[in-house]
Amino acid sequence: TQFDRQEGGVLEPLPQKNIDTGLGFERLAALMFGQRDAYGTELFQPTIRKVARLSGRPYEGPPSLSHRVIADHVRAATFAITDGVLPANDGAGYIVKMLIRRAARHAYLLGLHDAVLHDLVDEVGVSMGAAYPEVLDGAERVKGVIETEEEQFRRTLESGMERVGNILSDLKGDELPGDVAFDLWQTYGFPLDLTQELAAERGVGVDRAGYEAAREVARRASRGEAGEKRLFNKQSDAFGAIAARIGETRFLGYETTRAQTEVVGLVREGFEVDVLSEGESATVVLAETPFYAEGGGQVGDAGKLEWNGGAALVSDTKRSSQGLFLHEVRVVRGRLAQDESVTAVVDPAREQTRKHHTATHLLHAALRQVLGSHVTQAGSLVAPDRLRFDFTHSHALTPEQTAAVEELANRWIQQDLDVTWRVVPLAEAREAGAMMLFGEKYGTDVRMVSVGGAQPVSIELCGGTHVGRTGSIGAFVIISEEAVSAGVRRVEARVGAAAVDYLRELRARESRLAGALGVNPAQLEERVARLSNDLKESQREIGRLRDRLAAALTSAAPAAEVKEAGGYRYATFALEGLDAQGLRSAADRQLEATAADVVVLGSGPLIVVKTSPAARERGANAGRLVRDIATLVGGGGGGKADMAQAGLKDPARLTEALEGVPAVLGRAGG
């Protein structure tokens, strides 16, 4: 805001320069299109128009808040997920989760009771795709993530509405306690405003002050104990003092697993000490170290420290915010003093860790090649005995995809590709196409690890330890593939000796199963298939016998008198020897035979309620009825409007429960 551009391109200096008008792009677009706000422009209108079509609820007259919330939140979630932020219970992922859930709630308020938000991602592409082609490229993955999260919230809404309804039905008074409303949110994820809306429909208020008080109690509890904070601060102060003396720890672990070094700090229970006696544990800081500090998914190194007359075991290594490598040690022989010269020796298991870390890079590259470039790392664990890799993908891998990923990783291992690393400027790493993790903070210079020489199959920014050539990794075996959260999958794998151990376990298990079934391993699959077919046939026969038993018991039972209560015609029966399936079948037959509105059957500890279509039109609900009947004798249950079942804690009280049916129907009819 320095010049006023005149016709012909002449720039006239402004009398007052650099005045912030607050006129951002969206406000400018609204002015240019003659709209009162950005929601009237094509930045949001494609989404708003589709919401209006799907819901049958127009946007204008006056503009609908729900339409706006949905359009804004779907756009924000689409961009965040495209950039790699996935719904989660903390951090940036929590914001994305709440954006989707708030949009889903407003869709519900518009009468859209099925998942629809994922269908709006294409409309975001219509508005923003020309300027941000990444939105178009990642649309399918974004849809999958949003749909999964929305479906989870839909289930929360449905179960929550039933739960709130039950609470309101049992409420004595005209105000729902605030701690109950907060528990509905904290425990079940049911939003306060929906609780208020459902309560208002029944003329009940919600104690908002009590809700805020309960939320504050929960917030204070989540902050942790003050004592823990004081200890953390003391430790931080101690490490800060050490860092002020020596600077950062120099890491030697890329070149060696054994080094002569010096103890420059001993921290025990938050304070620096001069010496550790035999049997004592503490955090040891070394001037330089071959021990890798936990980071980038790789576990911290273990090993030992040795000195003249003494030894200590190192159980873990971490890194402080000041750049110190913190070795958790226990002295097993002698005394360890400040300024002691020690030999630091990394556990040989580090070699397996290195193999698993390089294999993780190969796995990442293979997943991207088999599934698509939308795959990005969402977390990892690299240990001596296994690797675990989380990645963005909305669907489970098929057996064929899993096999293809495994085959590709093994092919690269067998090619004995060169593994190199070098420290380069961040811009150079970007130009080389190195994989970078969303949310990671990178410095001016970064460590770039390449696998494959001049034509690398993998380039990633990584501070971990790696093998020199892929051939030393050995076999690569995928152990499992599963969902972690919405849009995130997890693969666990083993390589080298760990893979051989797994295959040995698998072979032993196969041998034991074959022995138990009396066949050799080659016949195992055929034998299991035959047993499965036999089991299914047996289950079908049991079902047929159950139905015949239910029919026999029902027909043999004396005809019960159809009575009336609460405006409903009902019949009750007590039968013996039926399970839940048989009881449901009998209820169907009895409802038809008696022409009653409601049939209540019991057998042992089970009760089944069945309602007719006509009764349901007048408000009868089997789920509510069976719950109220069971409650009379200390049981519980539920179900749908047409059929429901409950269990009794004491089967001897079945008769008492059936005798309570008229009173329950009377309340329902009233």
Side-chain angles (χ1 to χ4, degrees), residues 8-28:
V10 177
L11 299 178
E12 290 287 342
L14 291 169
Q16 299 293 331
K17 299 177 178 61
N18 302 317
I19 302 301
D20 184 0
T21 64
L23 189 66
F25 170 71
E26 291 184 353
R27 290 182 178 178
L28 179 61

Side-chain angles (χ1 to χ4, degrees), residues 20-90:
D20 184 0
T21 64
L23 189 66
F25 170 71
E26 291 184 353
R27 290 182 178 178
L28 179 61
L31 286 174
M32 296 301 293
F33 284 97
Q35 301 295 327
R36 60 185 163 190
D37 54 46
Y39 294 103
T41 71
E42 290 303 297
L43 296 173
F44 290 103
Q45 275 296 304
T47 305
I48 289 174
R49 287 193 292 266
K50 186 162 186 177
V51 171
R53 287 198 307 273
L54 292 173
S55 65
R57 304 274 287 274
Y59 168 65
E60 296 292 350
S64 161
L65 172 64
S66 290
H67 288 70
R68 293 182 175 201
V69 169
I70 293 169
D72 177 83
H73 288 16
V74 168
R75 185 178 78 166
T78 296
F79 271 87
I81 295 167
T82 298
D83 275 347
V85 184
L86 299 169
N89 292 325
D90 54 14

Side-chain angles (χ1 to χ4, degrees), residues 316-623:
D316 196 7
T317 309
K318 298 185 184 298
R319 186 170 183 165
S320 75
S321 58
Q322 300 91 352
L324 299 176
F325 281 54
L326 310 177
H327 309 79
E328 301 302 323
V329 309
R330 181 173 63 86
V331 178
V332 294
R333 180 165 51 85
R335 299 166 76 245
L336 179 61
Q338 181 84 359
D339 300 326
E340 185 82 57
S341 177
V342 299
T343 302
V345 183
V346 177
D347 191 306
R350 153 85 87 79
E351 180 61 22
Q352 271 294 110
T353 303
R354 293 201 310 155
K355 293 178 180 180
H356 278 113
H357 205 151
T358 305
T360 301
H361 287 212
L362 296 179
L363 172 61
H364 191 182
L367 286 166
R368 287 173 62 83
Q369 187 159 320
V370 172
L371 303 179
S373 59
H374 65 275
V375 170
T376 56
Q377 182 175 337
S380 68
L381 171 70
V382 181
D385 61 337
R386 72 193 190 284
L387 71 86
R388 190 180 70 209
F389 186 75
D390 297 347
F391 60 97
T392 55
H393 190 60
S394 56
H395 303 291
L397 272 66
T398 65
E400 293 76 17
Q401 288 172 330
T402 301
V405 168
E406 190 176 67
E407 191 277 332
L408 189 55
N410 275 299
R411 186 195 309 163
W412 289 331
I413 291 170
Q414 292 160 12
Q415 288 173 352
D416 195 27
L417 301 174
D418 193 24
V419 181
T420 60
W421 65 268
R422 58 195 177 101
V423 176
V424 299
L426 181 60
E428 183 179 333
R430 282 203 180 99
E431 188 176 344
M435 291 295 299
M436 301 181 188
L437 300 185
F438 181 88
E440 283 288 326
K441 294 181 174 62
Y442 296 108
T444 305
D445 294 324
V446 292
R447 184 172 184 260
M448 186 170 71
V449 177
S450 300
V451 181
Q455 294 184 318
V457 298
S458 167
I459 309 177
E460 295 196 28
L461 301 188
C462 178
T465 60
H466 291 273
V467 298
R469 302 192 68 84
T470 60
S472 64
I473 295 174
F476 174 93
V477 179
I478 292 178
I479 307 301
S480 63
E481 189 273 337
E482 61 185 356
V484 178
S485 60
V488 178
R489 309 294 302 180
R490 170 173 293 170
V491 165
E492 185 166 322
R494 298 183 190 178
V495 304
V500 173
D501 288 343
Y502 171 73
L503 294 174
R504 188 181 295 117
E505 293 170 10
L506 211 58
R507 189 163 54 197
R509 191 180 309 150
E510 180 186 58
S511 180
R512 289 194 299 271
L513 285 172
L517 296 176
V519 296
N520 63 53
Q523 298 170 318
L524 191 57
E525 187 174 358
E526 179 185 349
R527 178 61 171 157
V528 169
R530 190 161 61 248
L531 287 174
S532 178
N533 290 334
D534 291 346
L535 177 60
K536 290 176 182 176
E537 181 55 38
S538 297
Q539 289 172 334
R540 285 192 289 269
E541 182 61 24
I542 289 171
R544 289 191 291 268
L545 292 172
R546 184 194 300 120
D547 290 342
R548 287 163 57 187
L549 176 61
L553 289 173
T554 302
S555 61
E561 182 182 356
V562 177
K563 302 178 182 179
E564 186 172 333
Y568 296 106
R569 299 176 68 253
Y570 74 94
T572 62
F573 294 85
L575 302 171
E576 293 184 2
L578 291 184
D579 60 8
Q581 180 61 44
L583 205 55
R584 288 193 293 269
S585 298
D588 284 331
R589 293 190 184 91
Q590 288 302 320
L591 189 71
E592 182 179 352
T594 61
D597 293 317
V598 178
V599 169
V600 183
L601 268 63
S603 181
L606 297 175
I607 293 177
V608 166
V609 174
K610 178 79 177 180
T611 58
S612 69
R616 292 195 293 277
E617 288 180 5
R618 291 159 46 209
N621 185 296

Side-chain angles (χ1 to χ4, degrees), residues 84-412:
V85 184
L86 299 169
N89 292 325
D90 54 14
Y94 181 72
I95 303 301
V96 176
K97 176 191 282 283
M98 297 315 296
L99 284 170
I100 296 171
R101 293 195 165 202
R102 187 163 186 254
R105 177 166 53 82
H106 277 273
Y108 194 91
L109 294 175
L110 290 177
L112 296 169
H113 294 176
D114 295 322
V116 297
L117 300 184
H118 63 285
D119 285 335
L120 304 176
V121 173
D122 288 335
E123 275 57 46
V124 176
V126 170
S127 297
M128 312 301 297
Y132 300 95
E134 299 89 347
V135 172
L136 300 175
D137 295 340
E140 290 307 312
R141 180 173 70 88
V142 173
K143 288 179 185 178
V145 172
I146 290 179
E147 183 176 17
T148 300
E149 182 61 37
E150 189 179 8
E151 287 289 359
Q152 290 177 349
F153 186 54
R154 291 290 173 189
R155 291 192 289 271
T156 296
L157 278 180
E158 291 169 2
S159 62
M161 292 183 74
E162 181 178 353
R163 186 174 290 108
V164 173
N166 294 339
I167 291 172
L168 294 173
S169 296
D170 297 336
L171 182 67
K172 295 181 171 49
D174 57 1
E175 185 176 64
L176 182 68
D179 59 339
V180 175
F182 180 71
D183 183 63
L184 285 167
W185 164 245
Q186 184 181 47
T187 305
Y188 304 106
F190 199 76
L192 173 63
D193 50 359
L194 272 185
T195 300
Q196 290 175 312
E197 182 178 330
L198 293 176
E201 291 176 356
R202 303 193 185 202
V204 174
V206 177
D207 177 13
R208 185 62 185 263
Y211 178 93
E212 295 297 338
R215 186 169 69 168
E216 181 58 29
V217 170
R219 186 183 291 121
R220 286 199 301 269
S222 69
R223 291 172 184 158
E225 294 297 327
E228 294 178 3
K229 289 188 175 183
R230 285 195 295 273
L231 177 59
F232 175 80
N233 289 336
K234 285 190 297 184
Q235 290 175 332
S236 183
D237 290 344
F239 298 140
I242 296 170
R245 294 197 307 267
I246 71 158
E248 295 187 355
T249 305
R250 182 181 169 214
F251 179 55
L252 308 174
Y254 294 138
E255 295 82 25
T256 183
T257 57
R258 183 186 185 94
Q260 195 70 26
T261 183
E262 183 179 299
V263 174
V264 294
L266 297 170
V267 178
R268 190 163 185 264
E269 297 180 352
F271 296 96
E272 276 201 82
V273 296
D274 294 327
V275 66
L276 294 177
S277 299
E278 188 170 313
E280 288 186 327
S281 298
T283 302
V284 173
V285 181
L286 304 174
E288 51 191 15
T289 181
F291 288 88
Y292 180 83
E294 177 184 326
Q298 182 172 327
V299 299
D301 278 339
K304 61 184 177 180
L305 302 179
E306 297 175 323
W307 61 95
N308 187 23
L313 297 180
V314 179
S315 59
D316 196 7
T317 309
K318 298 185 184 298
R319 186 170 183 165
S320 75
S321 58
Q322 300 91 352
L324 299 176
F325 281 54
L326 310 177
H327 309 79
E328 301 302 323
V329 309
R330 181 173 63 86
V331 178
V332 294
R333 180 165 51 85
R335 299 166 76 245
L336 179 61
Q338 181 84 359
D339 300 326
E340 185 82 57
S341 177
V342 299
T343 302
V345 183
V346 177
D347 191 306
R350 153 85 87 79
E351 180 61 22
Q352 271 294 110
T353 303
R354 293 201 310 155
K355 293 178 180 180
H356 278 113
H357 205 151
T358 305
T360 301
H361 287 212
L362 296 179
L363 172 61
H364 191 182
L367 286 166
R368 287 173 62 83
Q369 187 159 320
V370 172
L371 303 179
S373 59
H374 65 275
V375 170
T376 56
Q377 182 175 337
S380 68
L381 171 70
V382 181
D385 61 337
R386 72 193 190 284
L387 71 86
R388 190 180 70 209
F389 186 75
D390 297 347
F391 60 97
T392 55
H393 190 60
S394 56
H395 303 291
L397 272 66
T398 65
E400 293 76 17
Q401 288 172 330
T402 301
V405 168
E406 190 176 67
E407 191 277 332
L408 189 55
N410 275 299
R411 186 195 309 163
W412 289 331

